[in-house]
Amino acid sequence: MSQLLTATPTDLAADGARLARSLEELGQIGRLPSGAVRRLAFSEEDRAARALVHGWMEEAGMAVRVDAAGNLIGRYDGLRPGAPVMATGSHIDTVPEGGLYDGALGVLGGIEVVRVLAEHQLRLQHPIEVIAFADEESTMVGCKSMVGHASEDPDSYATALGVPIQEGLASIGGDWQQRPGARRSRQEIAAFLELHVEQGGVLEAVGKQIGVVEGVVGQQRYIIRVSGQANHAGTTPMEMRRDALTTAAQIILAIEDMALHYPGDPVATVGKLTVWPNAANIVPGQVEFSLDMRDLSHDVIDHMKAQLERRIETIAVARRTRIAMTPQFVVDPSPADPMVQEVISETCADLGLSYTHLPSRASHDAQELGRLTAMGMIFVPSRDGVSHSADEFTSPQQCEQGVNVLLHSLIRLDASLSG
């Protein structure tokens, strides 16, 4: 008979070797000769991976279902009738050349938590749900649908395979027409914790074992177009030029300077640049480039945008060019719940693991779940800060430590939510 877990037994621990085997076995699905993993959402590889994870969920003692948004959900019942669930998980789809750990650790870590509890015949007061969200890497249709933020226009979804979203969902057991039924409420999900590799180099640089995530940053993305005058590179004197490329260069350096010196720790990136007519013997007449700004505070991003617009006006006058800044999209920040952050921090201290607080500057399923319920994230280090690559690596010991923090944070959170 299952026992009610009312304290935090220190002898409960993840089986690191089993977790490593699971990560490796899942990583064989879609493995490329380079060692990278290609498991695009809705592909044959994605379906094979979902079938494997489905089986592991059932073996761990979970009841498994697929909702209309394609989310694979394993439920491990609690002992308090009618209690809302504590959810955990991530995704198992990858970018075209991804690694073994991005997303997968969060899903398999959740399964490992349930394995440990089941092996000890323990249940929490709240049910636990382990969720493999559908298509995190392209459309985020799974997590957005669960929160109720997904677009109702099927043409707004650009899947990695190029298949219509209706076809993609049907291939994994979802149903586009019934997708609104995948929406959950705060009354159903009491909290969501996501274990994830950092995908950056901060933890490694500061020598900490665990990252307690403060929230997922907001993003604002723009296209900046500089219009000058294309002209002959040999016959146009320097002082007579209206060079769109040198103007763009000045703006790009202004963007870098602004982010470097803005209070706090925002980031701003120019990652794509197109030059017209792009010829060696012609002064560039037009340049178009991207701008991506991110921070935990929406106000900070807005202030940076206003500051940049003022600098752009000055540059445009000085260089006799026209500069237009067109918004592409806006994603609001998703702060982690303070109580959940405290639970994770206290768990790290109890387990003797060093930790630091930091933001997540990459998007995650937790970003959307945080708009629905109390959200927290647990980061473990990424070697050399590398992710979305065959070189992505987090050691078995680091993965095990992350799962132990997840396990004991859920136990502690269960007690807190039960009052």
Side-chain angles (χ1 to χ4, degrees):
M1 179 179 295
S2 295
Q3 306 171 54
L4 176 62
L5 192 55
T6 57
T8 305
T10 56
D11 60 340
L12 285 183
D15 184 332
R18 177 173 58 193
L19 176 65
R21 289 194 300 270
S22 297
L23 284 164
E24 182 60 33
E25 185 174 349
L26 181 61
Q28 291 303 314
I29 302 176
R31 185 71 65 91
L32 301 173
S34 66
V37 180
R38 179 183 176 88
R39 200 163 54 231
L40 304 181
F42 313 127
S43 65
E44 180 180 345
E45 293 81 9
D46 185 33
R47 291 192 293 275
R50 289 167 64 91
L52 180 64
V53 169
H54 186 290
W56 283 338
M57 287 177 169
E58 288 186 330
E59 289 170 7
M62 288 182 264
V64 187
R65 66 184 179 93
V66 177
D67 70 12
N71 298 310
L72 178 62
I73 304 170
R75 179 187 174 98
Y76 186 72
D77 280 334
L79 295 180
R80 196 178 94 195
V85 305
M86 298 190 303
T88 188
S90 193
H91 62 98
I92 57 173
D93 63 304
T94 73
V95 293
E97 293 196 24
L100 292 181
Y101 306 93
D102 174 17
L105 176 61
V107 176
L108 301 191
I111 293 174
E112 180 61 25
V113 164
V114 174
R115 285 169 170 166
V116 172
L117 292 175
E119 286 169 349
H120 287 79
Q121 295 186 309
L122 296 172
R123 291 185 185 272
L124 306 186
Q125 297 187 57
H126 296 77
I128 295 175
E129 284 188 356
V130 180
I131 307 173
F133 291 97
D135 194 13
E136 191 268 358
E137 292 293 1
S138 293
T139 67
M140 301 187 83
V141 65
C143 60
K144 285 180 178 289
S145 295
M146 188 171 285
V147 175
H149 285 176
S151 170
E152 299 301 317
D153 178 9
D155 293 333
S156 67
Y157 294 87
T159 64
L161 282 181
V163 301
I165 192 66
Q166 305 97 311
E167 179 183 326
L169 287 179
S171 73
I172 60 172
D175 186 328
W176 172 261
Q177 295 299 327
Q178 301 300 318
R179 187 183 50 80
R183 184 172 184 174
R184 309 285 290 276
S185 70
R186 177 66 184 262
Q187 287 67 45
E188 294 177 85
I189 302 179
F192 177 77
L193 272 68
E194 182 170 1
L195 170 64
H196 208 283
V197 292
E198 182 192 352
Q199 299 182 281
V202 174
L203 291 177
E204 194 172 61
V206 300
K208 301 296 184 182
Q209 294 164 302
I210 299 293
V212 182
V213 176
E214 300 166 310
V216 182
V217 298
Q219 302 180 39
Q220 291 187 20
R221 193 169 295 175
Y222 298 87
I223 292 294
I224 299 177
R225 178 179 283 265
V226 181
S227 299
Q229 176 64 60
N231 216 331
H232 196 292
T235 62
T236 309
M238 299 299 290
E239 67 275 7
M240 296 178 64
R241 297 184 179 201
R242 296 170 56 209
D243 189 326
L245 183 55
T246 55
T247 303
Q250 188 169 348
I251 298 169
I252 293 168
L253 290 174
I255 290 168
E256 180 185 52
D257 180 71
M258 175 184 67
L260 281 170
H261 295 98
Y262 201 94
D265 200 18
V267 295
T269 305
V270 174
K272 183 179 180 181
L273 185 144
T274 307
V275 181
W276 289 277
N278 202 31
N281 60 347
I282 301 176
V283 175
Q286 282 194 342
V287 173
E288 189 174 276
F289 60 93
S290 63
L291 169 62
D292 180 303
M293 296 189 292
R294 307 187 186 201
D295 192 76
L296 277 175
S297 166
H298 191 284
D299 288 343
V300 166
I301 304 175
D302 280 346
H303 291 158
M304 289 174 63
K305 173 179 176 284
Q307 180 179 326
L308 178 61
E309 286 175 330
R310 291 192 295 271
R311 296 180 75 167
I312 281 175
E313 289 177 7
T314 302
I315 292 169
V317 171
R319 290 191 165 269
R320 297 181 297 117
T321 55
R322 297 188 310 278
I323 305 171
M325 188 169 169
T326 306
Q328 297 298 294
F329 69 79
V330 174
V331 177
D332 288 332
S334 185
D337 184 88
M339 183 267 290
V340 176
Q341 289 186 64
E342 184 177 357
V343 162
I344 297 169
S345 299
E346 290 174 348
T347 299
C348 290
D350 284 351
L351 296 176
L353 297 171
S354 61
Y355 65 94
T356 188
H357 289 79
L358 75 172
S360 170
R361 292 197 177 89
S363 297
H364 299 287
D365 296 297
Q367 166 184 313
E368 293 303 319
L369 270 292
R371 310 189 198 288
L372 173 70
T373 190
M375 177 273 285
M377 289 193 74
I378 300 161
F379 275 174
V380 288
S382 295
R383 185 177 65 188
D384 298 329
V386 173
S387 185
H388 284 187
S389 162
D391 294 328
E392 179 180 273
F393 181 77
T394 298
S395 74
Q397 181 185 25
Q398 291 168 327
C399 292
E400 181 180 352
Q401 288 169 344
V403 175
N404 281 329
V405 173
L406 176 64
L407 167 64
H408 288 278
S409 292
L410 286 168
I411 293 170
R412 187 183 295 269
L413 190 58
D414 179 62
S416 297
L417 292 172
S418 299

